[in-house]
Amino acid sequence: MNIIRFIKNWTLPLAMIAGAASYFAYVRLPFFAPTRPYANAVVGVVQPLLIFSMLFLTFCKISFDELHLRRWHLWHILIQTGLFAILAAILMILPDLHCRVLIESAMLCLLCPTATAAAVVTAKLDGSAASITAYTIIINLAVAVIAPLLLPLAHPHEGLTFLPTFTMILHKVFPMLICPLIAAWAVRRWCPKLLNVVLKVKDLSFYLWAVALAIAIAVTVKAIVHSTVPVEYEIAIAAVSLACCLFQFAAGKRIGSAYGERTEGGQALGQKNTVFIIWMGYTFLSPVTAVAGGFYSVWHNIINSWQLYKKRERRERKEIKGDKGKIKGR
């Protein structure tokens, strides 16, 4: 029982360690050699299925009447798009900057939309999954418009214009977000018996996220190991992504606190779709910047693990105080 409790308490750190260890075991053990040509294809199928299932379970527990714009959403959008626009303007004015790669890395970390799994972690932290889901939809729409407008100016590419870029971004981020939402809405409306079964399942979406996280960390380790980026650049990009991560969690919590949604605000701005960062780096900016997504994945999951630890610690303190109160009452 102690082992099971330990796994439950430290699910995210264990998933991160398992993901990294699995990658090194997979590439070094000869036993897995015949399967390696198919690994990317399998991950490309399994991970979306995990994310879809995780979001479907979460969205089934959301009242769709709660999916509306909050005031803090506007501040968050302003921070993400405003800082991205400022950094893009710097690159337009000074295209030959020596630290261009670092600025592009920061641009990706700041503009990147909220992770689809943020609703799962927010619910685990006793926040409103509906509030952060609404922001996730809004910021994805905003990114799909802002990125195609400014990326061709900040980092010109032949054939990179608004419409194809807009279409590529929508195709990348929306299926995994909108399809589970529509499926959950359909179940809530037409399948009440199935909905009751789903509502009785506790924490399954969180553990599905842990499996998806282990796979994501394995992919991240692979990207970093196979990167041709010089070590000094990797260290600098890691520092930039860490600074962006800490800033966004802090700013998000501060803004969210002003509107009574501290947890939601922090997760909305701090927890990112890091696969999107990697894809954006390879597709639209310097491929080197894709490393920023790998490092950001590590940073925001460490912060999530710390937050879950602190929440569990507070709950245990309350339980101890409650037990002491009962004993005194006797």
Side-chain angles (χ1 to χ4, degrees):
M1 291 300 292
N2 288 336
I3 294 174
I4 294 173
R5 185 178 180 184
F6 177 80
I7 293 172
K8 286 182 176 179
N9 287 345
W10 298 101
T11 301
L12 292 189
L14 289 173
M16 294 172 69
I17 294 169
S22 297
Y23 168 76
F24 288 112
Y26 186 75
V27 297
R28 291 179 183 276
L29 294 177
F31 173 78
F32 295 110
T35 68
R36 285 170 196 154
Y38 313 102
N40 288 336
V42 171
V43 169
V45 173
V46 171
Q47 196 164 33
L49 285 175
L50 285 170
I51 293 172
F52 181 95
S53 303
M54 168 190 72
L55 291 180
F56 170 74
L57 291 169
T58 302
F59 292 161
C60 279
K61 300 175 183 179
I62 291 175
S63 171
F64 284 75
D65 294 335
E66 297 177 32
L67 294 178
H68 56 80
L69 184 68
R70 270 85 163 170
R71 288 186 179 181
W72 65 262
H73 289 172
L74 300 175
W75 285 110
H76 279 41
I77 291 170
L78 180 62
I79 288 174
Q80 288 194 246
T81 59
L83 291 176
F84 178 80
I86 290 169
L87 294 177
I90 291 172
L91 293 183
M92 283 185 267
I93 297 168
L94 303 168
D96 298 321
L97 272 178
H98 181 66
C99 60
R100 181 182 184 89
V101 167
L102 300 183
I103 293 175
E104 289 183 353
S105 298
M107 287 171 63
L108 292 176
C109 292
L110 292 167
L111 185 67
C112 181
T114 305
T116 49
V120 178
V121 178
T122 300
K124 192 73 174 173
L125 292 168
D126 296 332
S128 169
S131 179
I132 198 168
T133 298
Y135 181 74
T136 303
I137 295 170
I138 293 166
I139 191 59
N140 274 282
L141 282 171
V143 169
V145 174
I146 295 296
L149 284 174
L150 296 180
L151 283 174
L153 301 175
H155 195 106
H157 278 283
E158 188 177 347
L160 183 63
T161 56
F162 176 81
L163 190 57
T165 307
F166 176 78
T167 305
M168 289 172 70
I169 292 174
L170 281 184
H171 182 265
K172 185 71 178 178
V173 299
F174 257 56
M176 281 297 95
L177 180 64
I178 298 302
C179 291
L181 194 64
I182 293 172
W185 173 80
V187 167
R188 290 182 68 92
R189 186 173 178 85
W190 292 304
C191 305
K193 290 184 179 179
L194 177 58
L195 179 64
N196 288 333
V197 173
V198 171
L199 293 177
K200 290 177 183 177
V201 177
K202 186 180 179 182
D203 288 340
L204 178 58
S205 58
F206 180 73
Y207 295 115
L208 287 174
W209 163 233
V211 176
L213 173 61
I215 296 173
I217 291 295
V219 173
T220 295
V221 171
K222 177 187 175 183
I224 293 172
V225 168
H226 289 275
S227 172
T228 57
V229 182
V231 174
E232 58 271 22
Y233 264 104
E234 287 197 9
I235 293 172
I237 292 172
V240 167
S241 64
L242 176 60
C244 289
C245 185
L246 293 174
F247 164 74
Q248 289 181 106
F249 266 105
K253 285 179 179 294
R254 188 174 182 84
I255 294 168
S257 294
Y259 298 96
E261 294 193 334
R262 176 181 170 82
T263 298
E264 296 85 343
Q267 296 306 122
L269 204 56
Q271 189 173 344
K272 300 289 189 180
N273 182 350
T274 52
V275 174
F276 183 81
I277 297 178
I278 295 170
W279 175 74
M280 284 276 283
Y282 276 122
T283 307
F284 302 113
L285 296 173
S286 307
V288 173
T289 59
V291 178
F295 284 116
Y296 199 104
S297 177
V298 174
W299 307 141
H300 79 177
N301 281 300
I302 288 175
I303 291 174
N304 282 338
S305 300
W306 172 252
Q307 291 181 129
L308 290 168
Y309 164 73
K310 296 300 289 184
K311 175 184 172 291
R312 185 171 63 252
E313 192 179 54
R314 287 192 296 271
R315 186 181 66 241
E316 289 173 353
R317 280 205 208 104
K318 287 181 180 178
E319 289 174 356
I320 292 170
K321 286 182 180 178
D323 291 341
K324 287 182 179 178
K326 289 178 182 178
I327 293 170
K328 287 181 179 179
R330 290 174 186 173

